[in-house]
Amino acid sequence: PSLGEIFADAAVVVDSRDETAVAAALDRVLGDGPLRARLVAAGRALAARHSWDEAARLTRAALLEAAGR
């Protein structure tokens, strides 16, 4: 999946190689209080759906599969 698919409405996704786009996105988020609040709320909701225990379990399973076990 792409970052846009993963973060959905919890991020402003730009091409990190495009300095102008990065600067414009930062200006937009820093200057738009309602947008910033919406991104924060969406980010917290996204984070609440995940856990370090689940990430560790999935990482372990992937490593075991890669090792052929």
Side-chain angles (χ1 to χ4, degrees):
S2 72
L3 290 178
E5 292 169 331
I6 293 169
F7 294 112
D9 61 345
V12 175
V13 180
V14 298
D15 181 350
S16 63
R17 298 167 293 184
D18 183 343
E19 293 175 17
T20 302
V22 172
L26 285 170
D27 282 343
R28 181 174 169 221
V29 171
L30 294 174
D32 185 338
L35 171 63
R36 189 171 52 255
R38 185 179 59 74
L39 292 172
V40 167
R44 287 183 177 150
L46 180 63
R49 294 195 304 258
H50 302 280
S51 73
W52 284 111
D53 288 340
E54 180 69 4
R57 186 188 68 71
L58 292 170
T59 300
R60 181 179 186 274
L63 292 171
L64 288 173
E65 181 180 337
R69 297 185 195 175

